[in-house]
Amino acid sequence: MSNVGLRIYTKIERPSRDLVEQFRDLPTPNIADNMGRFSCVDSQIRPFNKAKLLGTAFTVKSRTADNLMFHKALDLAKPGDIIVVDVQGDMINAVTGEIMMRYAKKKGISGFLIDGAIRDSGALKNLDFSVYAKGSNPKGPYKDGPGEINVPVSCGGVVVHPGDIVVGDEDGVVIISSKDAEDVLKKTKETFDKEASIFEAIENGTWDRSWVDETLAEKGCEFIDE
């Protein structure tokens, strides 16, 4: 019998590290544009240093103000994982700080994505470890549970499944389903190359802007010279 609300799934299917790594230098806007502009985490969840976010989702669902399951996730997560924590956007209590961040970094965990608050943000500025969260608060958490590990969670309005690919940069975070990753990767690389061509055309003065007036004409836009 399953103990709903207090259970841990220890096995998840992860995409290959090679596939994940191919997203490393691709901007999140390019990725989002090839996913129908969906699966972008709410902009309230922001980076706390310059370390970019890339890895495989290892999910935690917890009640607000509690990090018992978050601590267990630290012990279970593997190198290259991103621990994604759903505390329903609560900002009253931080659910992680410098000690947990340093431990995660030592283990090879690639970062934290938290729909909630952190603390020790000053120390994080000089720590080469990626953390995205809604904000900071000095008030710490409790360790009582309940919670679940490796179940679907909600983070910044996006459903995140264990094994999803998480990519974050200065613009925000996008979540990529592992089953869609290869197709999204191919299209995103094409977009990246196309933009590089546009940048070159801008520099040499050959960027074709005729599409703007063509689109306006299709929509019946009226130009008034009075």
Side-chain angles (χ1 to χ4, degrees):
M1 181 166 53
S2 183
N3 190 11
V4 176
L6 189 60
R7 56 188 176 183
I8 297 171
Y9 292 93
T10 58
K11 296 180 180 179
I12 65 173
E13 291 188 14
R14 295 173 174 85
S16 70
R17 289 293 294 271
D18 177 68
L19 177 59
V20 175
E21 283 298 318
Q22 290 186 68
F23 284 95
R24 181 166 296 280
D25 297 319
L26 296 177
T28 55
N30 288 170
I31 298 171
D33 282 355
N34 287 287
M35 296 178 65
R37 296 175 172 85
F38 291 118
S39 299
C40 298
V41 171
D42 190 282
S43 61
Q44 291 183 30
I45 296 177
R46 57 185 177 84
F48 274 79
N49 58 23
K50 294 183 179 180
K52 294 185 178 182
L53 196 65
L54 179 67
T56 303
F58 192 94
T59 64
V60 177
K61 179 180 287 187
S62 177
R63 75 170 178 86
T64 60
D66 194 275
N67 74 351
L68 176 61
M69 285 299 189
F70 193 168
H71 269 282
K72 187 57 185 175
L74 284 179
D75 296 331
L76 295 174
K78 295 183 178 181
D81 284 344
I82 302 291
I83 298 182
V84 181
V85 183
D86 175 3
V87 284
Q88 299 88 61
D90 178 64
M91 294 294 294
I92 296 176
N93 294 74
V95 292
T96 190
E98 185 178 4
I99 292 174
M100 294 175 70
M101 295 167 192
R102 287 184 176 274
Y103 180 66
K105 183 176 184 296
K106 182 68 174 179
K107 284 198 62 181
I109 293 169
S110 292
F112 296 161
L113 174 60
I114 303 171
D115 196 350
I118 67 167
R119 61 181 182 176
D120 301 324
S121 57
L124 182 56
K125 291 180 180 179
N126 299 315
L127 187 65
D128 186 23
F129 182 74
S130 184
V131 176
Y132 283 63
K134 283 186 70 175
S136 59
N137 192 324
K139 186 186 296 186
Y142 303 96
K143 295 170 174 60
D144 303 317
E148 298 185 329
I149 291 177
N150 285 327
V151 296
V153 299
S154 175
C155 188
V158 177
V159 176
V160 183
H161 294 85
D164 284 350
I165 297 174
V166 181
V167 185
D169 58 19
E170 300 88 346
D171 286 308
V173 179
V174 64
I175 307 296
I176 308 160
S177 171
S178 58
K179 68 178 184 295
D180 298 325
E182 290 188 3
D183 183 56
V184 172
L185 177 64
K186 178 178 180 294
K187 292 178 179 178
T188 301
K189 285 182 175 179
E190 292 171 354
T191 299
F192 185 82
D193 291 341
K194 180 180 178 181
E195 287 196 352
S197 298
I198 292 173
F199 298 154
E200 183 179 350
I202 289 172
E203 291 302 314
N204 61 33
T206 61
W207 188 23
D208 183 6
R209 301 283 297 159
S210 61
W211 67 269
V212 178
D213 287 336
E214 290 171 359
T215 302
L216 290 172
E218 289 176 4
K219 295 181 177 296
C221 179
E222 181 182 6
F223 287 81
I224 301 170
D225 293 328
E226 295 177 1

